[in-house]
Amino acid sequence: MSVKICHHFAGKPCRSSFRACLCVALLLIALFPASRFAQRKRPLLQPATKSYFAGKIILIPRDGQLLQLRLLAQVADQDLVLPPSRFLDPKPQPDKLIEWAKGMNLAETNGVIISLETIAATALDAPATQALKQLRAQQPKLPLYGFASLDASATSKQICQTGLELIADGTLNFLLIEQAEPLSEKPAQIARARLIGDIASRQIEDRVAFDDAPDGAAASLIARLVARRYNQSPRILAAYSSKEGQTSTESRDTIALNQSIGAKIKLTGGALPVQDSETAPAIDLLLFIHAPQTNEEQRAAFTKVLTQTVERGMRVAVVDLSRTKAAKESFLSELRNQKLLDKLIAYASSEPVSNPTSDATREAASRALAQAVMLFTSLRSLRNDLDRVFRIDRAQVGLIFSRYLQDWAYNLTVRPKLDVYIREQKTDSNNPDDAIERTEKLAFDQLQPIAQQLFDEQFRRNTHAILLNSGERAEFRISLLQRLQIRFITSKASQVEIKQNVHTYYEGIVPITK
């Protein structure tokens, strides 16, 4: 039997306080009736495939792990233009990257996002800053975003400082600074405080943001750029699995989780629902967060509310920030039992940590929010075109399926076996590629049956009914999992890209009900 999923976005009232997030979600369940659809029309023709995207974004990234960023852009039908991989691997070549950027046709571009470290040889030197100013001179109104990583090193501090100068003189529209070291360390505190003081003196607070995720900048800025372009700002309410986890401070920024999530929502182009004692807030998306410090009873109640909320038609994204493999396995097992994996609009999970005092990454929240904002924006702004909707749905399915493979199947099941295998192998120094190939083959042999089982169980033959501007709904069905591939960036099992193709096809139009 196929599962029918309706992608529609409409703010609905919620009648509870923000402090009791699970109660909020429970009330939402009662306010979102399950959707019913009339018998669909069988299509006479397949939708044509346009050879052009709705937009184009240029990205100069920090490294070469780009597959999921490409899919993220395609969720909003955006073409992500990247420099040749030879300019990034094995290490960035700033002079080559600058020349490549100068040669791009900015007249056909909707925005540029640049890692400031990547285009700088040692610090953000004259060639790099001149290149950025040249880009601005060519297209004065083009959104130009930069991101940099802040640590206690002199180079890092100088790059961030120059980034602030480029914000102040109008070269950059927005700068995101990632906290690369815990703020519990005094050098990191001093570096941050000096930047904050400079930001305040220049009065550029609205164009600079800090983030506690060390690797989530590119995804966050892509989502922010697209949301701003289409003038969308989904109202996102976060619901936490436990009160203790909601206020936990396990991050490089040492701020409470709920404060971190609120900042990330704004960073990616979303908005927090307006709380008013007399009127109920309007909500577009719910972000369910499986937080640290959640016991079995709390997890069971949390999963039940999540399931009921999805079944009532509300758009739900899920982030798993629990610390242990056992907690993650238990949570995902419940989602699988309820057949929820293809009904979520986004999913991401942090890696489990063995040391209970170590920092837990919140980069997973950045990835899930970016996907949720992109899907919301695209289905609000591009649903007048059947071809684009077809591509958006296919990219959405591909991206969320890849999240399950990467964050769950690979990180929790396959990677531990590879770590043991790599430690036991004797690498031939004269032929290191042979060891990588053998590891890739083992990874594929381990991952492929898990991927196929997950696809057959949660995705195969599911139908998505997506609302068009006409009031009709276009139906697309998931059919095949094709060409699973695994590529190691280095010999380390932690640096891997997983690629698969999910085939979908157009089924027809559900007519407007009267």
Side-chain angles (χ1 to χ4, degrees):
M1 178 178 294
S2 64
V3 180
K4 186 169 290 186
I5 301 164
C6 175
H7 291 286
H8 61 95
F9 298 91
K12 298 286 183 176
C14 165
R15 305 184 182 278
S16 183
S17 70
F18 277 63
R19 295 180 181 176
C21 290
L22 293 183
C23 293
V24 170
L26 281 168
L27 289 175
L28 281 169
I29 291 169
L31 296 173
F32 288 96
S35 301
R36 299 181 181 275
F37 303 105
Q39 182 66 31
R40 64 177 177 270
K41 297 176 183 177
R42 299 304 302 178
L44 298 178
L45 296 172
Q46 293 290 332
T49 302
K50 286 187 171 67
S51 60
Y52 59 90
F53 288 90
K56 182 169 73 173
I57 300 169
I58 295 174
L59 170 66
I60 297 181
R62 181 173 290 143
D63 55 41
Q65 300 187 57
L66 304 168
L67 285 176
Q68 291 202 351
L69 290 178
R70 285 185 184 274
L71 272 177
L72 175 66
Q74 290 170 16
V75 167
D77 203 43
Q78 307 293 303
D79 182 19
L80 190 64
V81 181
L82 301 159
S85 59
R86 66 182 182 275
F87 296 165
L88 294 167
D89 296 325
K91 63 180 182 179
Q93 302 177 49
D95 55 339
K96 300 288 187 182
L97 290 166
I98 290 172
E99 288 303 313
W100 175 82
K102 288 180 178 178
M104 298 303 297
N105 182 2
L106 299 182
E108 299 177 356
T109 302
N110 302 109
V112 179
I113 302 171
I114 297 177
S115 164
L116 300 185
E117 295 113 326
T118 303
I119 62 169
T122 55
L124 204 55
D125 48 16
T129 55
Q130 288 172 4
L132 292 173
K133 291 178 183 294
Q134 181 178 327
L135 293 179
R136 170 57 63 218
Q138 290 177 8
Q139 293 291 330
K141 296 183 179 181
L142 180 71
L144 183 56
Y145 293 176
F147 63 98
S149 179
L150 176 63
D151 57 40
S153 69
T155 298
S156 169
K157 289 185 282 188
Q158 185 176 350
I159 288 175
C160 291
Q161 188 66 45
T162 306
L164 296 185
E165 294 170 6
L166 293 171
I167 286 286
D169 68 17
T171 300
L172 293 177
N173 297 95
F174 190 80
L175 175 65
L176 175 58
I177 301 175
E178 299 173 302
Q179 188 66 43
E181 294 178 343
L183 281 176
S184 56
E185 302 294 330
K186 193 165 185 178
Q189 295 174 11
I190 294 172
R192 171 79 80 92
R194 287 176 175 171
L195 286 180
I196 291 175
D198 195 6
I199 291 167
S201 65
R202 295 175 184 271
Q203 298 183 338
I204 54 175
E205 294 93 338
D206 59 334
R207 289 176 282 161
V208 182
F210 290 89
D211 192 27
D212 57 6
D215 296 306
S220 296
L221 292 181
I222 289 171
R224 181 185 182 89
L225 193 155
V226 171
R228 292 294 179 90
R229 178 191 173 191
Y230 291 105
N231 196 30
Q232 297 292 337
S233 185
R235 295 154 296 192
I236 303 173
L237 176 65
Y240 299 84
S241 57
S242 69
K243 183 178 180 181
E244 298 80 7
Q246 178 178 345
T247 56
S248 63
T249 56
E250 300 163 333
S251 82
R252 287 175 169 81
D253 231 349
T254 66
I255 64 174
L257 178 58
N258 57 348
Q259 293 178 304
S260 173
I261 295 299
K264 290 179 188 297
I265 288 172
K266 296 176 182 178
L267 173 63
T268 53
L272 299 175
V274 177
Q275 185 177 10
D276 190 311
S277 59
E278 297 183 359
T279 60
I283 299 168
D284 297 307
L285 309 173
L286 266 171
L287 180 68
F288 275 73
I289 300 171
H290 186 214
Q293 305 176 43
T294 299
N295 60 38
E296 289 293 336
E297 183 179 357
Q298 290 170 324
R299 181 159 42 250
F302 178 72
T303 307
K304 182 178 180 181
V305 172
L306 192 162
T307 302
Q308 294 173 334
T309 304
V310 171
E311 290 175 347
R312 294 296 177 177
M314 189 60 178
R315 300 299 88 199
V316 170
V318 169
V319 181
D320 189 345
L321 298 179
S322 58
R323 302 184 64 85
T324 67
K325 177 180 178 181
K328 292 179 181 297
E329 290 278 15
S330 177
F331 181 53
L332 194 77
S333 177
E334 285 300 314
L335 298 183
R336 291 178 68 181
N337 289 340
Q338 300 300 324
K339 304 290 185 183
L340 290 181
L341 299 197
D342 186 37
K343 297 181 182 180
L344 303 177
I345 64 168
Y347 169 87
S349 175
S350 60
E351 294 186 20
V353 290
S354 56
N355 183 356
T357 63
S358 67
D359 291 324
T361 178
R362 294 177 180 175
E363 181 261 343
S366 300
R367 290 188 284 121
L369 280 167
Q371 182 176 1
V373 169
M374 291 286 277
L375 184 63
F376 176 90
T377 299
S378 62
L379 293 185
R380 274 289 180 90
S381 306
L382 301 172
R383 61 185 180 184
N384 62 328
D385 189 311
L386 181 59
D387 298 325
R388 300 203 190 286
V389 172
F390 187 19
R391 286 206 297 260
I392 288 166
D393 182 66
R394 178 174 290 180
Q396 165 67 10
V397 174
L399 180 55
I400 198 165
F401 188 74
S402 71
R403 298 283 199 225
Y404 296 126
L405 293 188
Q406 182 87 47
D407 292 4
W408 170 70
Y410 180 80
N411 283 342
L412 298 189
T413 303
V414 177
R415 181 175 164 184
K417 298 178 181 178
L418 294 181
D419 289 337
V420 174
Y421 175 79
I422 291 171
R423 285 196 301 268
E424 295 176 348
Q425 289 301 298
K426 295 181 179 180
T427 303
D428 182 358
S429 59
N430 295 322
N431 190 12
D433 290 343
D434 180 62
I436 295 177
E437 289 177 5
R438 283 185 278 114
T439 307
E440 287 178 347
K441 183 179 185 306
L442 176 61
F444 177 85
D445 291 342
Q446 293 288 326
L447 187 61
Q448 196 278 333
I450 300 174
Q452 192 63 58
Q453 180 185 10
L454 195 69
F455 180 80
D456 292 342
E457 170 194 293
Q458 300 285 329
F459 289 85
R460 185 185 294 278
R461 297 193 60 77
N462 287 0
T463 298
H464 296 173
I466 300 178
L467 182 67
L468 305 177
N469 283 353
S470 64
E472 299 176 314
R473 297 183 186 274
E475 288 195 338
F476 307 98
R477 187 179 290 263
I478 305 172
S479 58
L480 295 173
L481 176 64
Q482 301 172 312
R483 295 193 296 276
L484 177 67
Q485 297 176 330
I486 297 177
R487 181 176 75 93
F488 283 84
I489 309 302
T490 68
S491 59
K492 296 180 180 180
S494 60
Q495 296 180 313
V496 64
E497 286 190 329
I498 300 171
K499 181 180 180 180
Q500 83 293 317
N501 290 336
V502 177
H503 180 68
T504 64
Y505 63 90
Y506 171 61
E507 270 212 312
I509 294 293
V510 178
I512 302 173
T513 56
K514 297 182 180 181

